[in-house]
Amino acid sequence: MKVYRAADAPSGGLAGESVAVLGYGNLGRSAALNLRDSGAKVRIGNREDDYAALARADGFEVVPPAEAATDTMVFVLLPDEVIPAVFEGEIAPALRAGAAVAFGSGYCLAFELIRPPDHVDVLLLAPRLAGRQARTRYQAGEGFWAIVGVEADRTGQAQRRLLGLAEGLGVLRAGAVEMTAAGEAALDLFVEQTVGAVLGTAMLLAFDVGTRAGIPPEVLVMEMYMSGEMEGVFRSFRETGFLRASEEHGPTALFGGITRTLEMDREALAASFQTILDDIASGAFARRFQDEATNGYPMLSVAREMTRGTSPITDAEDRLRRLMQSRP
């Protein structure tokens, strides 16, 4: 595994580059602020909306995406499903020969939803944490991890440009792991759709079964995540190791955890995970998600109604929050 760090930063960084950040959402804003603070010349490509207003309030020049795409380095940080139409209609026709186009996710490249022109460098720089955290880590001087890669080197300078961008963002203070766009996309989607789905399902089922058995709902959400204990568990995974962190828990927890784990149908779960990975790698998931976007996000609309509406677990969280905020 190839890892790049601060010592790999090129001399001059992004000197001579004019960087356009396309999209001023959560990650776009952090990327633009970090790059500007690192001395890069940055402007924002965004349609006229609240994000454009925020970018101007932050002191950036904001222009339409097609105009921003004429800069020497274009960092595309739009939502995955939005990129294909915007790229074909506004970005690709504006890209200059010898420019570099970088993507914050391997998704569109991996599943061939876009085809960058053959006269530009094509780069991947995919942060491994949310945008706000990328900004906070940068300001603290800590940096953050990312996956990087050169998908096409048309100028002979693609690697230097990629590492210059990574340095400007603050990535090289921590580390950049080299992968292809296809590898990054598979990794990202696989973990979201397996580990994320199982954790979410487990918490909702535990809440349902526990409350029906008479456990107070407020105590259940406190025990599962609102006390902060779970954050400490995941911190231990990072600092100590996934298996070794178990020694920080008492014998009761360790005994119960290992015996219940052994009782689970691991073969069925592994088969489900393999099916998910095969579906992702084949491009089938990406095709379904593009259909979802084309049809006006029917499934996401239902999901958002569920997450934004009332529910027993949300009500329990609200009650517990009020208790936590009250003073004796």
Side-chain angles (χ1 to χ4, degrees):
M1 186 175 74
K2 177 65 176 176
V3 178
Y4 299 98
R5 298 187 184 274
D8 299 302
S11 61
L14 294 174
E17 301 278 12
S18 55
V19 183
V21 174
L22 301 192
Y24 203 69
N26 192 10
L27 183 55
R29 183 174 189 240
S30 292
L33 291 170
N34 289 4
L35 288 167
R36 184 174 66 182
D37 287 354
S38 293
K41 180 183 178 183
V42 182
R43 66 174 174 170
I44 307 303
N46 204 94
R47 66 182 182 180
E48 286 302 322
D49 57 14
D50 291 343
Y51 293 111
L54 177 60
R56 289 193 179 96
D58 286 338
F60 288 104
E61 176 190 5
V62 182
V63 297
E67 183 177 343
T70 62
D71 287 352
T72 64
M73 181 174 287
V74 180
F75 196 10
V76 183
L77 293 173
L78 298 165
D80 287 330
E81 76 280 10
V82 171
I83 290 174
V86 177
F87 192 84
E88 181 180 359
E90 301 179 57
I91 301 172
L95 290 170
R96 297 179 179 179
V101 58
F103 295 89
S105 162
Y107 185 90
C108 289
L109 294 169
F111 303 116
E112 299 182 347
L113 301 176
I114 59 170
R115 285 186 170 80
D118 60 9
H119 58 258
V120 298
D121 292 338
V122 182
L123 314 176
L124 170 69
L125 199 161
R128 307 327 290 168
L129 77 178
R132 290 195 185 100
Q133 291 175 293
R135 180 61 179 161
T136 301
R137 295 272 187 91
Y138 177 93
Q139 291 175 310
E142 298 173 353
F144 54 95
W145 285 84
I147 289 174
V148 301
V150 172
E151 291 289 304
D153 183 2
R154 272 64 183 257
T155 66
Q157 298 296 316
Q159 185 75 1
R160 179 191 64 78
R161 296 170 108 176
L162 174 64
L163 294 177
L165 183 62
E167 179 189 30
L169 287 168
V171 167
L172 297 187
R173 299 175 185 177
V177 180
E178 189 173 67
M179 287 184 73
T180 64
E184 188 278 335
L187 170 70
D188 188 47
L189 296 175
F190 178 65
V191 173
E192 287 176 351
Q193 296 176 28
T194 54
V195 177
V198 168
L199 281 174
T201 301
M203 287 190 177
L204 289 172
L205 285 175
F207 181 84
D208 184 49
V209 172
T211 52
R212 284 193 283 109
I215 300 175
E218 298 84 357
V219 176
L220 269 169
V221 295
M222 178 179 68
E223 183 69 15
M224 288 193 295
Y225 51 89
M226 288 192 68
S227 69
E229 181 183 13
M230 187 61 72
E231 296 168 39
V233 170
F234 274 82
R235 189 181 306 113
S236 293
F237 291 166
R238 175 166 56 87
E239 295 174 352
T240 308
F242 179 72
L243 294 176
R244 291 187 174 89
S246 62
E247 296 187 19
E248 298 182 11
H249 304 285
T252 307
L254 183 57
F255 178 79
I258 190 63
T259 55
R260 298 307 180 189
T261 298
L262 293 173
E263 290 171 3
M264 290 183 180
D265 191 342
R266 293 166 57 86
E267 290 187 5
L269 195 58
S272 173
F273 283 10
Q274 186 63 58
T275 299
I276 291 169
L277 183 57
D278 292 343
D279 183 68
I280 291 168
S282 72
F285 171 80
R287 290 191 292 272
R288 290 197 304 276
F289 189 45
Q290 289 309 118
D291 289 342
E292 170 79 5
T294 301
N295 294 326
Y297 301 102
M299 182 66 72
L300 285 182
S301 296
V302 172
R304 288 185 177 121
E305 287 180 12
M306 292 172 59
T307 58
R308 294 170 183 173
T310 60
S311 70
I313 195 167
T314 302
D315 292 342
E317 291 166 348
D318 290 341
R319 291 193 298 272
L320 182 58
R321 243 179 240 110
R322 288 194 293 271
L323 286 170
M324 288 177 165
Q325 292 168 355
S326 64
R327 295 290 182 267

